[in-house]
Amino acid sequence: MVLVVAPTNSPVPNMSSYQSEYNADEQAAIDKEFTRLANNKSIYLDHAGTTLYAESQVTAAAEQLQRDVICNPHTCRVTGDYVDQVRFKVLEFFNTKEDEYHVIFTANATAALSLVAENFDFGRQGNFHYCQENHTSVLGMRERVQARAMYMLKEEEITGMGSVPSAANGANGANGSPPGDNSLVTFSAQCNFSGYKIPLAAIAGIQKQGLAHGLGKRVSGEAAQTTDKNNYYVCLDAASFVATNPLDLQRYRPDYVCISFYKIFGYPTGVGALLVSRRGAEAFRKKRNFFGGGTINYAYPHAMDHQLREVFHQRYEDGTLPFLSIVGLLEGFRTLERLVPKGSDVATMERISRHVHGLAQYLEKQLRQLKYPNGQPLIELYNRVGYEDRHRQGGIVAFNVRTDAGPFVGFGEIACVAALQGILLRTGCFCNIGACQRYLGLDETMMDAIYKRAGRICGDYYDLIDGQPTGAVRVSFGYMTRRQDVEELLKMLHLSYLATKPQQRLQLIEEQAGQLPKALKERAQRLRPQLLQLAIYPVKSCAAFKIEEGGGGAGAGGTWPLTAQGLQYDREWMIVDMNGMAVTQKRCSELCLIRPLIRDDQLVLHFGDSPAGVSLPLSLADQAENSSRCRSKVCRQPVEGLDCGDEVALWLSQHLGLEGLRLLRQSSQRSTSNGVRQQQKLSLVNQAQFLLVNRSSVRSLQFEESLDETVDRFRANIIIDTGSAFEELSYKQLTIGQVQFQVEGPCQRCDMICINQRTGERSPETLTTISRLQSGKMRFGIYISRISTANSKEQQHLTCGDVVVVN
């Protein structure tokens, strides 16, 4: 279902800069193979995940299975001949031959990487090097390699090796290393996050010169020696690259090449390959830690004696091969050659490379032109070198969407919008956390915040933390991607974000959420802002008692009750001096160090980090039994209260250094008139029952302290995050969970926000920053009051995670 209706004046993307790789007959033949996309009203843009199979391809594969007797190759020679044909075709596809490379069939590229990790012989001094922007499966190699040390390399540290002439390739042992001391460098030919291509000339440079001492970040093992004389080998993760690009193993000679065939053909799945050069084969261990059926000449059951087969690839293909899938690859090769025939001087994969790059280049240019009426770009692109050079950039475009005010839109929302319009794309980190870290600028602290503290996992839709995206949106192209597919994506982005207001878009997604897959349906229910945190201030001007989701003790589960005055126990006590006047942080900033704790039926006060404290009964009736009545004022209004006794008075005076302090508890309600609306019952607050602060607004201040510290300065009861700074200043009414609120107006700030609520230190620039952002005004946060309804006569609660709806 279409999310929004296109206005009659919606712009049509200008395709004049796009030149099709295919002629009309070729395009028609390709379109005929993928009619199921139109039948299912789908736009497929995740070819980096897997490309799509042609309909005639699977028809021909099925006909072969019905026609031929294909069985276990140990039994049927015909099957063995088919498998040998596929090995030959794989070598031909990569422009090499059997006296240069072995073909070992695996389950996929991941299994090929695992095979290298298990069998590469590092010797005593060998190191394992990998690129930061590697697929997760490369990181998994670290668990199996037996290297002296492991190093993470930046992409530019690998690219720098590309200046070594290719004639130097294959210099095994040229560094004078003792036999068996080998180092392994693993990197991706094409980043599956951004589509950036590392120049393959780096392969020869690494093999000839190795890596400079001190290159990369050591992540485990012993420090490298000052002189590294190891032989260097290269393992190329080519799964993403070979799907849409030619790999010429005559020109570039990595020692190991890992591929998955479904990336190239779409069908069959469950089969990949490890290509091992003759040089690479010499660096494999002579003895395996495991052998399976078909890999040995014999194995004694009565003794630890066995003999591996002589043919190299047979030693590593454990058990019966997935022979039906392997045979199915033949039709995959034929289909590509038939649908994208080679030209006079351009091979099939070269043409596919030009096709997907042309689409990506066009899309990137069009995305840069998408802007809001205020000039704010809609798209944040993630790319290393641009899209001008096909040899450095493939058919992948990674990006995030921004609001008209600048903050990011969560990629989960984009996934929902796309799914509702039948556009299949990918979001997240795409099993490449290192690329996410690099392109999104995530430092190690932020990585821990995302994965260890927030509990995000690969593949989920936990897309924003404090406004920082944890992943991106990726679109990627295959040989069957059409110009119209790019147009539909651009149309979706324009109509859903440039031509639709956020509240309307969210409402439409919620109304159609039932049509989404389960994971996206759950994300659609969390698109609107949520109540992140509740904070009550039992003692006026003292520290907060915070209620958070998952917290224990009082407020367990992040829920807190409401009373006629606001949040239960909020500003119910206040400290007064010997004249009965309220003491605030303006006079005594150390008040913020008095930390309240509500536990069972007691209010316990601590000073700073001291475990010792003083306790008071929460029950007003218990308090009244042994308390004298007294009076004070809040905002010039008289307040009647109960004196809480000498013990707490002495404790306060000792810790705050002021004589004659007393603690007063409110014993009767105050009310305030708000014009045409009903009177509101108030605790010892200044103006309204609740103060709401938007973390996005706080984030815009960019103070040199943690965001949580800055949020604490504003002493709010209700904390949300809308993604847009100062959006809350335009609110009139809102609903949080089942509770309705009226906005009383913005909070006019004083110099109390200059006090760091964790240390008591003052930083006067706080007010200056707010004044600058608000054009001289001192507004920050909004006062809200609960609207009385039939439900409000019953006990109501606010719960962290409640959805915030602006009415």
Side-chain angles (χ1 to χ4, degrees):
M1 180 178 290
V2 177
L3 180 65
V4 291
V5 178
T8 56
N9 61 347
S10 63
V12 177
N14 175 17
M15 299 301 296
S16 60
S17 62
Y18 173 76
Q19 297 295 321
S20 176
E21 173 63 28
Y22 309 137
N23 61 41
D25 290 340
E26 290 171 339
Q27 186 64 63
I30 293 173
D31 290 346
K32 186 178 179 181
E33 294 282 357
F34 300 93
T35 57
R36 63 187 184 277
L37 289 172
N39 294 338
N40 288 281
K41 299 180 180 179
S42 296
I43 305 294
Y44 186 74
L45 297 175
D46 186 28
H47 294 270
T50 180
T51 197
L52 298 176
Y53 55 81
E55 291 165 18
S56 63
Q57 175 190 350
V58 291
T59 298
E63 290 174 349
Q64 183 181 25
L65 294 176
Q66 293 174 322
R67 180 182 66 247
D68 297 341
V69 178
I70 303 176
C71 57
N72 193 310
H74 294 108
T75 305
C76 181
R77 194 183 74 177
V78 172
T79 306
D81 291 342
Y82 275 136
V83 172
D84 288 341
Q85 287 182 44
V86 176
R87 284 191 211 277
F88 173 80
K89 195 64 181 177
V90 170
L91 293 169
E92 182 184 59
F93 190 74
F94 294 114
N95 192 29
T96 187
K97 48 192 176 180
E98 61 183 355
D99 61 351
E100 296 175 340
Y101 277 88
H102 305 280
V103 177
I104 302 171
F105 286 115
T106 62
N108 44 43
T110 295
L113 291 165
S114 175
L115 205 59
V116 175
E118 291 174 342
N119 292 281
F120 186 81
D121 189 355
F122 289 90
R124 297 179 60 188
Q125 300 295 323
N127 299 314
F128 178 56
H129 306 261
Y130 59 92
C131 184
Q132 179 186 20
E133 297 170 40
N134 267 135
H135 191 277
T136 299
S137 297
V138 174
L139 302 186
M141 295 176 72
R142 300 179 304 188
E143 304 301 314
R144 293 189 173 179
V145 297
Q146 297 182 25
R148 181 191 63 178
M150 302 185 198
Y151 294 85
M152 184 193 77
L153 300 170
K154 298 286 188 181
E155 170 276 322
E156 55 268 23
E157 294 173 320
I158 296 174
T159 303
M161 301 305 299
S163 59
V164 178
S166 60
N169 187 39
N172 187 26
N175 294 322
S177 171
D181 284 351
N182 305 316
S183 289
L184 180 65
V185 180
T186 302
F187 64 90
S188 300
Q190 175 175 283
C191 175
N192 73 311
F193 181 100
S194 66
Y196 172 75
K197 300 176 182 178
I198 291 181
L200 297 182
I203 295 169
I206 293 169
Q207 290 170 328
K208 175 63 178 177
Q209 291 188 334
L211 296 175
H213 173 65
L215 204 62
K217 176 183 179 181
R218 182 165 58 91
V219 294
S220 73
E222 303 174 10
Q225 298 175 345
T226 55
T227 302
D228 186 353
K229 295 183 179 180
N230 290 345
N231 298 310
Y232 272 79
Y233 294 78
V234 173
C235 177
L236 188 69
D237 177 6
S240 176
F241 182 84
V242 300
T244 54
N245 295 281
L247 177 59
D248 186 348
L249 293 182
Q250 287 292 329
R251 183 178 182 186
Y252 305 109
R253 298 173 182 260
D255 300 290
Y256 312 101
V257 182
C258 305
I259 61 175
S260 288
F261 288 109
Y262 71 90
K263 302 273 189 181
I264 307 172
F265 307 129
Y267 172 88
T269 58
V271 60
L274 171 64
L275 277 64
V276 182
S277 72
R278 299 291 164 169
R279 177 178 186 256
E282 295 175 4
F284 263 29
R285 298 178 184 275
K286 305 307 178 186
K287 185 177 180 181
R288 294 190 63 194
N289 293 326
F290 174 83
F291 60 83
T295 63
I296 56 170
N297 291 327
Y298 66 84
Y300 289 161
H302 60 274
M304 296 295 292
D305 194 3
H306 71 276
Q307 184 183 77
L308 292 173
R309 290 191 182 274
E310 293 299 320
V311 178
F312 185 80
H313 68 76
Q314 291 180 345
R315 299 181 187 180
Y316 300 96
E317 292 176 340
D318 295 315
T320 302
L321 288 171
F323 53 88
L324 293 180
S325 293
I326 292 172
V327 172
L329 294 175
L330 287 172
E331 195 56 43
F333 287 112
R334 297 188 192 109
T335 300
L336 276 190
E337 293 168 355
R338 176 171 52 84
L339 293 179
V340 189
K342 63 181 179 181
S344 57
D345 59 347
V346 184
T348 291
M349 292 306 296
E350 188 77 13
R351 294 193 68 197
I352 292 174
S353 177
R354 296 197 312 199
H355 172 71
V356 299
H357 177 263
L359 290 172
Q361 184 181 50
Y362 168 74
L363 175 60
E364 184 258 358
K365 290 179 179 178
Q366 294 299 310
L367 289 176
R368 291 189 182 278
Q369 296 178 30
L370 295 178
K371 298 180 184 294
Y372 289 98
N374 64 1
Q376 167 70 35
L378 175 70
I379 300 297
E380 176 85 12
L381 285 157
Y382 302 114
N383 185 260
R384 187 66 57 81
V385 292
Y387 285 78
E388 297 306 314
D389 186 354
R390 179 169 57 89
H391 300 289
R392 300 297 299 277
Q393 175 63 41
I396 295 175
V397 181
F399 62 91
N400 269 312
V401 173
R402 289 184 178 271
T403 69
D404 58 355
F408 287 98
V409 175
F411 61 73
E413 179 182 319
I414 309 302
C416 291
V417 172
L420 289 172
Q421 300 195 53
I423 297 177
L424 303 174
L425 43 72
R426 188 79 173 269
T427 60
C429 281
F430 328 120
C431 296
N432 195 330
I433 292 176
C436 253
Q437 183 182 25
R438 177 99 184 223
Y439 283 99
L440 301 180
L442 306 175
D443 58 22
E444 294 178 8
T445 300
M446 189 62 184
M447 293 285 282
D448 284 346
I450 293 171
Y451 292 100
K452 292 184 178 180
R453 293 194 289 278
R456 198 209 151 188
I457 61 174
C458 291
D460 66 14
Y461 291 98
Y462 198 91
D463 46 19
L464 292 173
I465 293 183
D466 286 334
Q468 169 68 53
T470 64
V473 180
R474 183 188 72 186
V475 296
S476 49
F477 307 126
Y479 74 86
M480 71 293 295
T481 308
R482 307 166 305 156
R483 180 183 71 182
Q484 296 93 318
D485 299 333
V486 177
E487 292 175 344
E488 289 299 320
L489 175 68
L490 291 167
K491 180 180 176 182
M492 178 203 84
L493 291 169
H494 180 271
L495 296 179
S496 299
Y497 289 91
L498 300 184
T500 305
K501 294 188 179 298
Q503 295 297 329
Q504 179 188 3
R505 180 175 64 251
L506 296 181
Q507 182 178 349
L508 289 167
I509 294 173
E510 290 168 350
E511 290 174 352
Q512 302 175 70
Q515 302 176 45
L516 295 171
K518 180 179 178 182
L520 279 179
K521 189 182 301 183
E522 294 174 355
R523 183 65 184 93
Q525 295 168 353
R526 295 184 290 108
L527 288 177
R528 292 190 185 272
Q530 296 181 354
L531 175 57
L532 300 181
Q533 186 185 84
L534 291 166
I536 63 170
Y537 302 83
V539 182
K540 184 178 175 65
S541 280
C542 293
F545 175 67
K546 296 179 180 178
I547 298 97
E548 298 175 288
E549 193 169 7
T559 294
W560 198 257
L562 297 176
T563 69
Q565 298 183 150
L567 289 165
Q568 188 177 41
Y569 303 126
D570 184 48
R571 274 92 169 188
E572 194 160 326
W573 291 262
M574 71 176 180
I575 301 170
V576 298
D577 62 16
M578 62 180 63
N579 297 315
M581 301 300 294
V583 179
T584 68
Q585 288 187 31
K586 295 179 184 179
R587 176 178 170 187
C588 179
S589 63
E590 289 82 2
L591 283 174
C592 67
L593 302 179
I594 295 181
R595 308 193 183 281
L597 175 65
I598 293 177
R599 184 172 55 203
D600 299 326
D601 58 352
Q602 297 286 311
L603 170 66
V604 183
L605 303 181
H606 297 273
F607 189 81
D609 296 327
S610 173
V614 62
S615 60
L616 304 161
L618 285 177
S619 168
L620 185 61
D622 292 346
Q623 181 79 65
E625 284 185 7
N626 302 306
S627 301
S628 59
R629 295 189 175 275
C630 52
R631 292 174 63 88
S632 183
K633 286 187 177 182
V634 172
C635 294
R636 300 182 180 180
Q637 281 190 308
V639 173
E640 292 186 4
L642 301 171
D643 187 285
C644 294
D646 294 336
E647 180 184 1
V648 66
L650 179 61
W651 185 88
L652 290 171
S653 293
Q654 289 175 339
H655 285 91
L656 297 176
L658 297 174
E659 295 293 332
L661 297 181
R662 308 295 296 183
L663 184 66
L664 179 149
R665 182 174 187 176
Q666 184 182 19
S667 60
S668 62
Q669 295 178 337
R670 346 170 6 230
S671 297
T672 184
S673 174
N674 47 16
V676 297
R677 297 186 296 275
Q678 62 196 16
Q679 285 196 336
Q680 297 292 328
K681 295 180 173 62
L682 300 178
S683 61
L684 300 176
V685 296
N686 287 352
Q687 288 184 249
Q689 293 178 337
F690 308 90
L691 175 60
L692 180 149
V693 161
N694 182 357
R695 282 176 72 92
S696 293
S697 303
V698 180
R699 193 180 301 116
S700 70
L701 301 177
Q702 298 183 336
F703 286 174
E704 293 182 0
E705 61 186 12
S706 73
L707 181 61
D708 287 339
E709 283 187 68
T710 310
V711 170
D712 286 348
R713 289 176 181 267
F714 297 98
R715 299 178 59 79
N717 301 111
I718 295 172
I719 299 167
I720 65 173
D721 193 339
T722 68
S724 296
F726 304 108
E727 174 185 326
E728 67 280 8
L729 294 176
S730 65
Y731 294 172
K732 302 301 181 184
Q733 288 186 350
L734 67 155
T735 301
I736 303 177
Q738 301 299 317
V739 185
Q740 298 179 38
F741 296 91
Q742 180 75 42
V743 177
E744 304 296 341
C747 177
Q748 302 294 332
R749 291 298 181 173
C750 63
D751 61 0
M752 264 190 66
I753 61 171
C754 297
I755 301 170
N756 184 302
Q757 295 296 302
R758 301 188 183 187
T759 66
E761 297 176 351
R762 292 180 179 271
S763 48
E765 68 277 6
T766 306
L767 280 175
T768 305
T769 302
I770 295 175
S771 177
R772 174 173 52 81
L773 291 174
Q774 292 287 319
S775 302
K777 299 177 181 178
M778 308 302 296
R779 306 177 303 169
F780 207 97
I782 55 175
Y783 285 122
I784 61 176
S785 298
R786 185 161 57 133
I787 298 175
S788 295
T789 63
N791 291 335
S792 62
K793 295 179 181 179
E794 303 173 358
Q795 177 72 71
Q796 289 186 306
H797 294 76
L798 287 178
T799 301
C800 294
D802 280 346
V803 172
V804 178
V805 179
V806 179
N807 301 329

